Amino acid sequence: MSIPLQKAITVLKAEFIGLSPDSSFDHISIDSRSLQNGEGTLFFALKGPNHNGHDYIEDLILKGVQHFVVEEVPENKIPNANFLVVPDTVRALQKIAAYYRGLFDFPIIGLTGSNGKTIVKEWLNFLLSPDYNIIRSPKSYNSQVGVPLSVIAINEKHNLGIFEAGISTINEMDHLQQIIQPTMGVLTKIGSAHDEGFENRSQKILEKLKLFTTTPLIIYKKDPLVDDSLTVFLKENPLIDRQLFSWSFTDETATVLILNVLKSSTSTQIFYRFASTENQIEVPFHDDASIENAISCLMVLLYLKYPIEVIQNRMALLYPVEMRLEVKNGIHNCSIIDDSYSSDFQSLKIAFDFLESQKQNPKKTVILSDIFQSGFSNEELYSKVAQLIKDNRISRVIGIGKTISSFQKLFSNCTVFESTQAFLEQFDDLSFNNETILIKGARSFEFERIVQRLVLKTHETVLEIDLNAISHNLNFFKSKLEEKVKIMVMVKAFGYGNGGLEIAKLLEHHQVDYLGVAFADEGIALKSGGVKVPIMVLNPESTSYEAIIQYQLEPEIYSLKGLHAFLKIAKEKKLENFPIHIKLDTGMHRLGFEANTLPELINTLKGNTSVRITSILSHLATSDDPQHFDFANAQIALFESLSSQLISQLQINPIRHILNTSGISNFPKAQYDMVRLGIGLYGVSNDSNEQKYLENVGTLKSLISQIRTIPAGDSVGYGRRFMAEKTTKVATIPIGYADGIARLWGNQVGYVVIHNQKAPILGSICMDMLMVDVTEIICQEGDDVIIFGESPTVVEMANAIQTIPYEVLTSISQRVKRVFFR
């Protein structure tokens, strides 16, 4: 892509302020943190409820960026930059993408629906790629911003596009339709996702159908609600020669009728009738969602008149779609970013940005296979890849594949192998130590074998942490804050059991103002991991003061004894203005200076230059309990009085903060200068209405170790606490109270989920195992088991065993491997 700046000015009807419009750009960016920004970048300064791209313009200019689309020019007149001033930068991004889409004339498949869009897109790419050079949305880039970024990646070599479009409310699809302009439309399953953004399901379907306003072909599953909406849509959007290509399990009027579905434990046979001919295909799945997604793909192949033999051969090779980047602990203190099933140029850019946000070691290594379907010639493609690797400061490149091997000279510090097997044979000679490793390969290279060698081995139970959900929850609470109110995020107790360093890295990427830990060793681990955000230690022991100073942590001081001890060390080390935080006790009666200690506190600090009071804080005891809101308000009033005395007497201007997660929602007028976000970041709220807006962060998963059938009268587990009243099929799961599952959750109080069905826990939970009833569940050894996540939730578990979600989360043992994904 190379677009003259003057053309962008014309398309956007922008006011130009700058040096000269006589230049061009070949890269579009919305992320100021990306290492891919440079001279050829046109940066769109997007505004959102929690961020403002205009704030980073000066930093970007220092990095070489010269061209900006803005809603207002920075107040400080900035030389050496060009500004295209528009009313709305998001709409401007969409207009540029729509203009760029109009430069190309080849078939575009547009996908929308509630569920299955990304999977159908990836499967269609697999099924059609032998015959087309395809451009598709990377990962699930289907939003108001993701769609334009996807379309802008088109180049002259592509001859088929597959783009997905997602909406969450009315009037959004109109913009996406103008950008994608599909020539073939596929409507996937309509479900409950985003129902809250619409008056009813019919309105949602009509909004989604707007993607197909000018599309001559629509593929869909016949359903009374869809059919009714489609009738309205066609009446409002008449188009000569529009074709409807439908399928159904029951409706004889559908273009394709599914006659029968026969499931086995590993695959499904789908029998269908099309054009008076009956045929069948087999797909390697047995869940209903995958079967419907496979039928959507079948419909595209049938419409394109693929021979039945080709359809059967290719559909049988479909595979589970990995839509996420995972961070795993590796051998020899390495961190592994697993993207081992995907290798295309667009997703490589995304993976590099993720690598930068999650790097836990300064040394960055990329293991990369041959890249397919880029649309570029090999020479152009690998030159671009080499430039990306240079821009992203990759320390070492390992190329696997005959094509990338032939371009080895383009990369510095590069080792190449013609195959994955050749790499594995020399694995021990490659010396992986203290580095962050991105593993990115096309599926045919079987890079999962490399991941298996590099990942630190632990037992089969894992806690999966959804980094996107953390980002969502952070932004949800940020949206409640007044302008300029700072945010501290608590990552104590190993990130509430979810993982400290990885989450801290993500929060640093989101530019939070402070991180909070309980003890010095937690802060030291984060600093040692490269975290640069200021870290406050809330419960420092005097024995840790030396280490706090050494690692530039910031202690909370809550007693005169602690203050005198810290000042003594500070004077010995000749410190000047070392940041400390003063804790006031306003009624929690846990830690903090009480009112009667303030005079001595003030006298001790007056004229002292060794330390600087960076903040004054207190903690609410009842911010989550409406019955005691009067007490909380009294705490806030006392905090106002005591902190004002300190500020007045010491002539200081500190940050003040008293609100925790519940306080943010329940006491918005007491935000002061900063708030402290804790359990809410991890998707838990004590308010059932607020809970609906938070996303689940942690999913604890295991698998079935063994299945046995016992007769009536037999018992299960220690103490024979479960006695079978009938023939019972029992599955053993390798997780127990040593992993953090409370024994109170056993004896049929709790359950696990297997194939979306509840399996009650039988008898006592053991140290390393628990047993469940799977009599009514079709399952086999090795199948996945959900311990908690979307269901059961940690809130549900906590209520059942009469505790709080904090305890459930923080009890998960360190021996349980954490897997982070985006």
Side-chain angles (χ1 to χ4, degrees):
M1 175 185 71
S2 180
I3 299 177
L5 197 61
Q6 185 61 62
K7 174 56 72 174
I9 295 168
T10 303
V11 169
L12 301 178
K13 298 179 181 177
E15 176 190 359
F16 178 77
I17 299 174
L19 295 173
S20 169
D22 298 327
S23 55
S24 62
F25 58 91
D26 57 16
H27 174 236
I28 282 176
S29 175
I30 63 168
D31 188 351
S32 63
R33 301 161 296 194
S34 175
L35 296 179
Q36 297 158 40
N37 294 323
E39 285 185 14
T41 297
L42 178 64
F43 182 81
F44 284 75
L46 304 188
K47 283 184 174 181
N50 311 302
H51 67 271
N52 186 345
H54 295 73
D55 296 339
Y56 309 109
I57 289 173
E58 291 190 49
D59 289 341
L60 285 163
I61 290 174
L62 293 175
K63 295 175 183 177
V65 179
Q66 298 176 352
H67 313 306
F68 300 88
V69 178
V70 297
E71 293 178 19
E72 63 265 343
V73 177
E75 288 183 10
N76 325 348
K77 184 66 177 168
I78 301 175
N80 305 320
N82 293 319
F83 296 99
L84 283 65
V85 185
V86 297
D88 185 325
T89 48
V90 173
R91 293 288 172 260
L93 176 65
Q94 294 171 342
K95 286 179 182 178
I96 281 289
Y99 157 75
Y100 188 71
R101 162 68 179 92
L103 301 178
F104 300 91
D105 184 19
F106 55 76
I108 297 283
I109 300 174
L111 294 154
T112 192
S114 301
N115 307 100
K117 298 184 291 295
T118 302
I119 292 170
V120 172
K121 177 199 68 186
E122 292 299 318
W123 283 354
L124 285 176
N125 176 69
F126 168 77
L127 294 166
L128 300 173
S129 59
D131 314 302
Y132 295 93
N133 194 357
I134 299 173
I135 175 72
R136 71 190 192 280
S137 314
K139 301 292 179 185
S140 54
Y141 269 39
N142 60 27
S143 66
Q144 297 291 302
V145 171
V147 168
L149 292 177
S150 301
V151 167
I152 284 165
I154 297 173
N155 68 48
E156 292 77 7
K157 303 293 176 59
H158 294 125
N159 57 14
L160 177 66
I162 310 174
F163 298 107
E164 55 176 301
I167 57 172
S168 56
T169 189
I170 60 172
N171 301 323
E172 289 185 342
M173 191 62 87
D174 296 304
H175 304 292
L176 303 187
Q177 189 279 330
Q178 293 167 28
I179 299 168
I180 297 174
Q181 300 172 42
T183 57
M184 179 189 297
V186 178
L187 183 67
T188 64
K189 182 178 177 63
I190 297 294
S192 60
H194 298 298
D195 269 1
E196 67 276 6
F198 303 91
E199 290 180 5
N200 50 51
R201 192 69 60 86
S202 296
Q203 185 189 54
K204 181 169 75 170
I205 296 170
L206 273 170
E207 284 294 321
K208 288 184 178 294
L209 287 172
K210 287 181 180 179
L211 178 62
F212 310 138
T213 300
T214 60
T215 304
L217 170 75
I218 301 175
I219 292 172
Y220 71 104
K221 177 187 177 183
K222 284 186 74 66
D223 168 274
L225 200 55
V226 173
D227 286 339
D228 291 345
S229 299
L230 200 54
T231 300
V232 175
F233 170 77
L234 295 175
K235 199 172 290 184
E236 294 176 350
N237 300 278
L239 185 68
I240 298 171
D241 296 332
R242 193 196 301 270
Q243 185 175 356
L244 300 180
F245 204 63
S246 61
W247 69 272
S248 175
F249 288 114
T250 57
D251 192 330
E252 295 275 351
T253 66
T255 314
V256 174
L257 181 65
I258 307 302
L259 302 170
N260 200 2
V261 173
L262 295 180
K263 299 181 181 181
S264 72
S265 60
T266 57
S267 65
T268 300
Q269 289 181 295
I270 301 171
F271 298 83
Y272 67 91
R273 183 172 66 228
F274 170 54
S276 302
T277 303
E278 294 186 5
N279 270 304
Q280 71 179 78
I281 60 169
E282 186 171 348
V283 294
F285 307 100
H286 55 78
D287 62 288
D288 292 341
S290 293
I291 291 167
E292 290 209 13
N293 291 334
I295 293 171
S296 292
C297 295
L298 169 66
M299 296 294 290
V300 174
L301 297 180
L302 290 174
Y303 178 78
L304 294 175
K305 299 180 179 177
Y306 272 76
I308 182 59
E309 298 80 9
V310 174
I311 293 175
Q312 289 172 334
N313 290 337
R314 294 186 187 176
M315 294 289 286
L317 297 174
L318 291 178
Y319 51 86
V321 174
E322 292 292 337
M323 293 184 291
R324 61 196 199 181
L325 292 157
E326 291 187 343
V327 184
K328 302 174 179 178
N329 292 326
I331 59 173
H332 309 314
N333 199 34
C334 291
S335 296
I336 311 302
I337 297 178
D338 181 2
D339 197 9
S340 55
Y341 294 103
S342 172
S343 183
D344 60 87
F345 186 66
Q346 279 308 108
S347 67
L348 183 61
K349 294 181 177 181
I350 297 168
F352 278 151
D353 281 342
F354 185 65
L355 170 62
E356 181 62 21
S357 73
Q358 278 295 310
K359 66 175 182 184
Q360 295 174 24
N361 300 283
K363 183 179 179 183
K364 296 186 288 187
T365 295
V366 173
I367 302 176
L368 184 65
S369 78
D370 288 347
I371 296 174
F372 302 129
Q373 285 197 306
S374 68
F376 303 112
S377 66
N378 283 336
E379 290 76 10
E380 188 177 3
L381 168 63
Y382 288 101
S383 293
K384 287 179 176 290
V385 172
Q387 187 61 49
L388 265 184
I389 284 171
K390 181 180 177 183
D391 292 343
N392 284 275
R393 302 167 198 156
I394 304 300
S395 312
R396 173 166 64 151
V397 178
I398 296 173
I400 298 178
K402 292 182 179 179
T403 306
I404 195 171
S405 294
S406 67
F407 290 95
Q408 180 181 9
K409 64 180 184 296
L410 294 177
F411 308 98
S412 60
N413 194 18
C414 178
T415 307
V416 296
F417 302 90
E418 287 205 350
S419 68
T420 301
Q421 184 59 37
F423 166 84
L424 291 172
E425 287 171 0
Q426 296 189 43
F427 180 86
D428 292 336
D429 300 326
L430 292 169
S431 183
F432 294 100
N433 290 282
N434 299 299
E435 51 199 299
T436 302
I437 306 168
L438 170 63
I439 301 173
K440 189 158 183 60
R443 190 171 189 85
S444 58
F445 282 86
E446 298 180 334
F447 271 17
E448 62 270 22
R449 296 164 64 197
I450 297 176
V451 174
Q452 189 175 19
R453 289 292 293 273
L454 282 168
V455 167
L456 193 65
K457 302 301 182 288
T458 57
H459 74 119
E460 294 155 323
T461 298
V462 298
L463 179 59
E464 294 186 343
I465 310 299
D466 185 343
L467 296 176
N468 281 39
I470 288 180
S471 298
H472 168 87
N473 296 338
L474 173 66
N475 287 332
F476 171 78
F477 284 101
K478 274 186 171 181
S479 70
K480 293 174 174 283
L481 303 183
E482 298 292 332
E483 191 177 359
K484 296 184 179 178
V485 172
K486 299 179 186 294
I487 188 164
M488 173 188 287
V489 181
M490 310 309 296
V491 291
K492 62 182 180 177
F494 194 54
Y496 288 65
N498 293 285
L501 180 57
E502 295 82 359
I503 291 173
K505 284 285 187 181
L506 178 67
L507 296 171
E508 183 171 53
H509 193 64
H510 281 293
Q511 301 175 328
V512 301
D513 300 285
Y514 262 92
L515 298 176
V517 297
F519 300 106
D521 56 353
E522 296 175 317
I524 291 168
L526 298 184
K527 287 291 186 180
S528 299
V531 174
K532 296 180 176 61
V533 176
I535 297 173
M536 177 176 158
V537 183
L538 281 84
N539 307 326
E541 298 152 326
S542 57
T543 53
S544 67
Y545 286 162
E546 294 266 4
I548 284 174
I549 292 168
Q550 179 185 346
Y551 285 91
Q552 293 295 295
L553 303 172
E554 303 183 16
E556 172 190 287
I557 302 296
Y558 50 82
S559 69
L560 288 166
K561 179 182 176 182
L563 177 60
H564 288 304
F566 191 83
L567 288 176
K568 180 181 177 184
I569 295 173
K571 288 173 184 175
E572 288 172 357
K573 293 184 174 294
K574 299 180 180 178
L575 299 180
E576 288 288 330
N577 294 317
F578 194 91
I580 64 170
H581 303 262
I582 298 296
K583 175 74 169 284
L584 301 176
D585 182 1
T586 57
M588 180 81 163
H589 296 331
R590 188 172 62 177
L591 293 173
F593 292 94
E594 295 181 282
N596 61 1
T597 61
L598 248 57
E600 189 174 349
L601 171 64
I602 292 168
N603 287 334
T604 303
L605 289 171
K606 262 187 179 176
N608 191 297
T609 59
S610 297
V611 297
R612 179 186 77 254
I613 299 177
T614 300
S615 84
I616 302 173
L617 67 147
S618 189
H619 192 67
L620 296 179
T622 60
S623 62
D624 59 347
D625 188 350
Q627 292 184 28
H628 295 288
F629 278 2
D630 286 345
F631 183 81
N633 281 316
Q635 279 195 269
I636 293 167
L638 182 56
F639 176 68
E640 171 67 29
S641 172
L642 298 182
S643 61
S644 295
Q645 283 184 52
L646 282 175
I647 290 169
S648 172
Q649 294 286 326
L650 295 173
Q651 294 295 294
I652 55 176
N653 185 29
I655 298 166
R656 289 195 286 178
H657 49 112
I658 191 172
L659 297 186
N660 55 5
T661 295
S662 297
I664 293 171
S665 300
N666 295 330
F667 299 92
K669 293 183 179 179
Q671 291 178 6
Y672 285 97
D673 307 298
M674 186 161 72
V675 298
R676 301 188 302 272
L677 177 61
I679 194 75
L681 182 77
Y682 307 99
V684 177
S685 172
N686 68 297
D687 183 325
S688 58
N689 184 56
E690 184 174 80
Q691 185 67 55
K692 295 186 295 186
Y693 296 97
L694 300 179
E695 293 186 359
N696 179 66
V697 168
T699 300
L700 184 59
K701 298 175 72 173
S702 193
L703 50 76
I704 298 174
S705 295
Q706 191 175 39
I707 296 176
R708 61 171 48 77
T709 300
I710 63 172
D714 273 18
S715 63
V716 174
Y718 287 116
R720 305 192 73 196
R721 288 188 173 87
F722 172 79
M723 303 291 294
E725 297 178 356
K726 60 181 180 179
T727 300
T728 304
K729 188 166 66 169
V730 180
T732 300
I733 318 299
I735 184 172
Y737 60 77
D739 300 292
I741 307 303
R743 293 181 77 248
L744 290 170
W745 186 237
N747 290 316
Q748 296 177 283
V749 171
Y751 64 91
V752 301
V753 171
I754 300 171
H755 298 316
N756 296 316
Q757 298 176 71
K758 293 182 179 181
I761 297 172
L762 303 178
S764 297
I765 292 174
C766 309
M767 181 181 288
D768 308 302
M769 285 170 279
L770 57 82
M771 288 70 74
V772 299
D773 184 351
V774 293
T775 306
E776 304 299 327
I777 301 174
I778 298 173
C779 58
Q780 56 189 355
E781 292 173 1
D783 282 358
D784 284 344
V785 178
I786 305 298
I787 311 300
F788 66 64
E790 296 286 355
S791 176
T793 66
V794 293
V795 174
E796 182 182 349
M797 292 179 73
N799 290 338
I801 61 177
Q802 297 184 348
T803 185
I804 56 177
Y806 295 77
E807 185 174 352
V808 175
L809 286 173
T810 57
S811 295
I812 303 305
S813 166
Q814 295 292 302
R815 79 177 186 178
V816 174
K817 180 172 69 173
R818 271 68 173 173
V819 174
F820 300 85
F821 68 90
R822 176 177 290 177

